[in-house]
Amino acid sequence: MGNVFAIIKPILHAIMKAIGMTSMLVEIEPGTTMHFWVPIESTAIHQDPNNKPKPTVVFLHGFVANGIMTWLFQMVSLRTSGADFAVYVPDLLFFGDSITDCPERSTSFQAHCLAKGLMKLGVEKFSLVGFSYGGVVGFKLAQLYPDMVESIVMSSTVIELTESISNASLNNIGFTSWPDFLLPKTISDLKVLLSIGTHKFPWFPDFFFRDFLEVMFANRKEKLELLKAFVVSDKDAATPEYSQRIYLLYGDNDKIFNQAVSDTIKAKLGENTTLEYIKSAGHLVQLERPFAYNCFLKKILSYSSGSGKM
Ligand SMILES: *[C@@H]1O[C@H](CO)[C@@H](O)[C@H](O)[C@H]1NC(C)=O
Ligand SMILES: *[C@@H]1O[C@H](CO)[C@@H](O)[C@H](O)[C@H]1NC(C)=O
């Protein structure tokens, strides 16, 4: 039997086609390419100048998968049953089909490349939805390109992964290093990762884990370097001021960034920040409780694009 993810790939692509999404490789600069899922109506051959511009949403994935695996339920939800958003889902560098030969590994570099890629795709203003590692990249993007980002929705993440938060979070999950946790080598490592990542991980047969290990952890050397650059010293951490509304949407049982962490982040971000907990959800909140998550997300996005307040 082939790899289960190789088998579901054409199914995922058929779903993308059905919701009007297509795959694009964008050259950011020579040697750096980012892959994006983009709305078909945004591509040159389908563009119609008479179309009313749609509210645009950019989704940033976490460390353990690519864009489509992280955000599938949200992409479907925002592209069907009357929801009419222009949805962009990139793969961050060294995930999915995005790659660079540049030695830079910081979240700022990811953010710069992303902004450049979005500009090349003609995306100038958007709501940003970030998850975990992608959330930190998103906070950077909003800091570096404040005019591009209209509102910010963040899940299971921190503003920056400072050494103190990093140490406390590793301690919570019983690990001493992020690579040991986030770059599993065996089926049992991966089971630990997914069980810590969720409120309650559903049963899957062993071949699921074997195949997941085979496809999701390419570019190990570069990902180790990304993790090294991910943790910053406490004294280098700043809390930038954001002019956007910020919505924090967390699982009430996030075992990695627990409620003490999310409450602290909310306090740091100040008065224009809302924090909601989704019940019986872990770190992977958008996959574990897609209906509740999408319901909150649609409410937030319709308020943001209607410029109202929640
Ligand atoms: C975090 O843990 C490392 C390794 O145990 C230690 O060297 C470092 O001082 C700790 N940093 C903080 C800010 O607690
Ligand atoms: C909160 O938002 C309002 C309206 O957009 C803005 O005037 C104010 O400066 C913001 N406050 C902070 C602390 O960013």
Side-chain angles (χ1 to χ4, degrees):
M1 196 182 115
N3 186 300
V4 63
F5 293 92
I7 296 167
I8 64 174
K9 197 167 176 180
I11 301 173
L12 289 179
H13 287 209
I15 295 174
M16 288 299 106
K17 197 168 173 202
I19 62 171
M21 301 284 292
T22 189
S23 181
M24 292 264 268
L25 282 174
V26 179
E27 184 176 70
I28 309 298
E29 56 190 41
T32 303
T33 307
M34 281 188 120
H35 172 260
F36 288 80
W37 287 100
V38 307
I40 208 149
E41 67 273 13
S42 73
T43 57
I45 38 170
H46 290 95
Q47 243 165 23
D48 179 349
N50 298 321
N51 280 351
K52 204 169 117 233
K54 298 174 180 180
T56 301
V57 190
V58 175
F59 285 94
L60 304 182
H61 65 81
F63 204 83
V64 171
N66 55 17
I68 192 172
M69 295 293 293
T70 308
W71 296 114
L72 179 65
F73 295 132
Q74 286 67 42
M75 293 164 90
V76 170
S77 168
L78 294 189
R79 296 286 291 174
T80 53
S81 56
D84 204 9
F85 292 90
V87 173
Y88 291 79
V89 182
D91 290 331
L92 296 169
L93 295 168
F94 299 113
F95 299 87
D97 292 323
S98 297
I99 198 81
T100 183
D101 61 9
C102 174
E104 224 355 294
R105 297 290 178 262
S106 64
T107 49
S108 316
F109 182 66
Q110 294 272 18
H112 281 302
C113 290
L114 202 54
K116 224 172 189 178
L118 288 165
M119 286 176 211
K120 288 198 171 188
L121 290 167
V123 179
E124 288 165 359
K125 260 193 179 304
F126 50 85
S127 294
L128 182 65
V129 185
F131 167 70
S132 198
Y133 177 74
V136 178
V137 173
F139 273 125
K140 273 277 178 268
L141 180 71
Q143 182 193 343
L144 296 166
Y145 301 89
D147 295 341
M148 293 183 87
V149 181
E150 272 174 324
S151 64
I152 302 174
V153 185
M154 289 293 177
S155 289
S156 318
T157 192
V158 290
I159 306 166
E160 281 193 288
L161 188 57
T162 61
E163 224 176 74
S164 314
I165 300 177
S166 170
N167 284 2
S169 303
L170 284 170
N171 191 45
N172 290 342
I173 59 175
F175 276 80
T176 50
S177 93
W178 290 110
D180 289 349
F181 176 58
L182 291 171
L183 292 170
K185 291 199 178 92
T186 65
I187 289 181
S188 67
D189 292 347
L190 178 60
K191 284 183 175 171
V192 170
L193 168 61
L194 294 174
S195 98
I196 291 175
T198 51
H199 175 64
K200 189 172 187 313
F201 194 75
W203 183 86
F204 276 97
D206 266 3
F207 68 78
F208 166 87
F209 299 99
R210 185 199 63 206
D211 294 353
F212 193 99
L213 267 183
E214 205 176 286
V215 297
M216 282 302 163
F217 299 97
N219 304 320
R220 251 173 208 277
K221 176 179 164 285
E222 292 81 4
K223 283 181 181 165
L224 272 171
E225 294 163 1
L226 291 178
L227 286 175
K228 201 153 178 246
F230 191 25
V231 181
V232 298
S233 80
D234 290 16
K235 65 175 171 27
D236 293 341
T239 304
E241 289 195 358
Y242 296 96
S243 54
Q244 298 89 346
R245 289 279 312 168
I246 302 175
Y247 303 89
L248 304 173
L249 209 43
Y250 284 61
D252 70 348
N253 186 23
D254 190 328
K255 295 165 214 166
I256 305 169
F257 299 132
N258 61 23
Q259 294 196 8
V261 174
S262 34
D263 289 340
T264 308
I265 293 169
K266 180 183 184 308
K268 269 200 173 148
L269 289 169
E271 56 174 330
N272 291 334
T273 304
T274 310
L275 168 60
E276 293 275 0
Y277 287 110
I278 293 181
K279 279 202 181 58
S280 308
H283 189 72
L284 289 159
V285 53
Q286 79 285 11
L287 284 167
E288 206 174 10
R289 294 284 171 265
F291 295 107
Y293 190 93
N294 295 346
C295 185
F296 273 117
L297 184 60
K298 280 183 172 171
K299 206 161 99 186
I300 292 169
L301 293 174
S302 57
Y303 272 104
S304 310
S305 58
S307 77
K309 287 213 157 190
M310 273 191 95

